[in-house]
Amino acid sequence: MNMIRMIDAVLIFIFSFVYSAKTDSIIQQSNKQSQGIEGVVFWRSGNQMPSPDESATGMKGKPIVREIVVFKLTKTNETKQCKTFFSAIKTAEVGRTRSDSAGYFLLKLPPGNYSIFVREEKGLFANRFDGHNNICPVEVKAGEIAKIELIVDYAASY
């Protein structure tokens, strides 16, 4: 068990180093881009319940490569929904991009309110909503980069 915890600690250290270096790179890229959405996509699966036998690692999940699809702000009644998967979205698609191997993405967009989805085999995934039934809302302000973390967790148990 101690060996597993040591391996976990080493992996966390390595991930923190890579995450820090990648964040610096993204910040430099953000400075070149005037406005839009910047973020990272993580995959989380399996049992996520806390356990007294294991220490919390603070990991958000594993960074993943995925297509990110952005629509004008979309309410749940403007789509077909099956749990956390969406299809037949009635609002206009405004952009798409792909996250890299570290999960990072950057998409230039005009100021406005948007809904952001992650493309999965079962459809467009989103698990965040506001009090007005808007799906994964993100606001892009003039001259600013909106930051978001997307956690794809439909295979996780809490």
Side-chain angles (χ1 to χ4, degrees), residues 4-153:
I4 292 173
R5 289 187 184 191
M6 246 172 102
I7 291 171
D8 283 346
V10 169
L11 290 174
I12 290 169
F13 175 77
I14 291 169
F15 178 78
S16 297
F17 179 76
V18 170
Y19 182 83
S20 175
K22 190 64 179 181
T23 301
D24 291 343
S25 171
I26 290 297
I27 289 170
Q28 289 173 358
Q29 289 177 15
S30 294
N31 291 337
K32 296 177 186 174
Q33 189 154 332
S34 62
Q35 64 198 28
I37 299 173
E38 163 185 88
V40 64
V41 187
F42 294 103
W43 171 257
R44 191 183 292 163
S45 64
N47 184 359
Q48 301 297 309
M49 292 295 289
S51 169
D53 298 332
E54 295 182 28
S55 62
T57 62
M59 297 285 285
K60 296 178 184 195
K62 175 186 166 193
I64 55 174
V65 175
R66 290 294 191 275
E67 182 178 33
I68 311 304
V69 186
V70 181
F71 290 82
K72 287 286 191 184
L73 190 61
T74 306
K75 293 186 179 298
T76 54
N77 66 357
E78 297 175 303
T79 69
K80 287 186 181 179
Q81 181 179 0
C82 181
K83 297 183 181 178
T84 55
F85 295 99
F86 298 86
S87 62
I89 297 173
K90 295 177 184 172
T91 56
E93 181 181 328
V94 296
R96 61 176 67 199
T97 190
R98 196 159 184 80
S99 61
D100 65 16
S101 61
Y104 290 92
F105 65 92
L106 186 60
L107 181 64
K108 185 176 181 176
L109 289 169
N113 293 298
Y114 302 101
S115 288
I116 187 165
F117 297 86
V118 177
R119 184 173 304 284
E120 292 290 307
E121 283 185 27
K122 296 179 181 180
L124 294 172
F125 174 85
N127 61 353
R128 199 180 293 180
F129 306 87
D130 67 11
H132 304 286
N133 291 323
N134 292 311
I135 304 166
C136 200
V138 178
E139 180 181 10
V140 174
K141 296 178 181 177
E144 294 184 18
I145 300 288
K147 298 184 186 318
I148 188 167
E149 287 183 346
L150 302 171
I151 299 176
V152 180
D153 64 352

